[in-house]
Amino acid sequence: MKIGPTTRTIAIVTVIVSAILGSSYLVGNASNQEHERERDTSAAQSYDSDAVRGARHRGDERTGSPASPSSRARATQSAARNPARPGDSAPTATDAPQGGAGPQKQGVAAGPPLPASFNQSVVVGPGKPPLMPDTAGPFGSRTTTGTVQVALTFDDGPDPTYTPEVLALLDEYNVKATFCLVGEMVVQFPELVREIVDQGHTLCNHTWNHDVTLGTKSKAVIRADMVKTNDAIHAAVPDAKISYFRHPGGAWTQAAVDVAKELGMSSLHWTVDTQDWTTPGAAAVEKVLTTDTALGSIVLMHDAGGKRENTVDALKDMLPKLEEQFALAALPPGIDPPKLHGRDLPIHGGQK
Ligand SMILES: [Zn+2]
């Protein structure tokens, strides 16, 4: 069949139009692929952010630069070692016995000592302390720092005699610790609370008047006690972060742990019980510190509630020795929710 000029023109136009349409389809397709790549990249970046945050918990990321592949790998390994439990799970058969826990070694991953300052540079949110998960204590309370760091904790203060002595020793050795404060003491000695915070130590709510039966009372009573105590601390230091709660006598109940969580506080048990409140002599306190302190330990001591010369004397002797062996650090304070492009960062597993 003979192809006329008109038919040829139509054919040429069709080819040209097809070419244009085809190329625009290809351009569109390429553009879509670009968007897909962008989505992939942003997904990878958010994964990176998690890895960076994970790395920061272990002190790998001290400069804020993106995580290296090896640190990502370590973050993944760490996540495998420390799987976060969903929600506020009740204690399981594998949990420690309820009630006071004696000294125990915890399976904290070994690693090089971390700089004492690394907790302060952790950036996660919102509003709760960034820690690796640990719910091994009574009613899902925390017994370890979740890192190789060792945390010294001082209960029942502030006390006008012993708190300044403890603070001076901590300052001398540049050690940061965590103080579990009693509301009635806070209202009497607010300047000591300010000094504790000013020196870079972190805070824990230890109830209004050290009622060891508080946890057996109604949630409303428990909540009122915790809120009153936090209000007293905030009256002394308005912007203080109070991210931990410790029940007097370690007499935890599910209700106490639940209410603490509702108020944004992690329940803080311990690993090492120095029994210093029984005034057993400085040597006995030192022996417990020497024998039982391990990587990740939370050490229970008292700077108030009675005569605490044993505690002060033991600290004098043991702070330099413990510092040689361990990275001593305060449990991290809660932080304000950081904003990422207008969105809160997801809650870290350890903030539950
Ligand atoms: Zn106490």
Side-chain angles (χ1 to χ4, degrees), residues 208-242:
W208 180 254
N209 59 1
H210 210 270
D211 178 2
V212 294
T213 68
L214 181 66
T216 65
K217 297 178 177 170
S218 73
K219 281 195 169 183
V221 170
I222 297 170
R223 186 177 296 107
D225 184 294
M226 291 182 186
V227 168
K228 191 178 178 185
T229 305
N230 281 352
D231 286 350
I233 295 171
H234 283 137
V237 185
D239 57 350
K241 303 279 191 293
I242 311 158

Side-chain angles (χ1 to χ4, degrees), residues 32-46:
N32 284 341
Q33 284 170 353
E34 191 60 34
H35 285 306
E36 289 300 326
R37 267 200 300 276
E38 277 172 16
R39 270 202 289 276
D40 289 348
T41 307
S42 68
Q45 278 166 350
S46 65

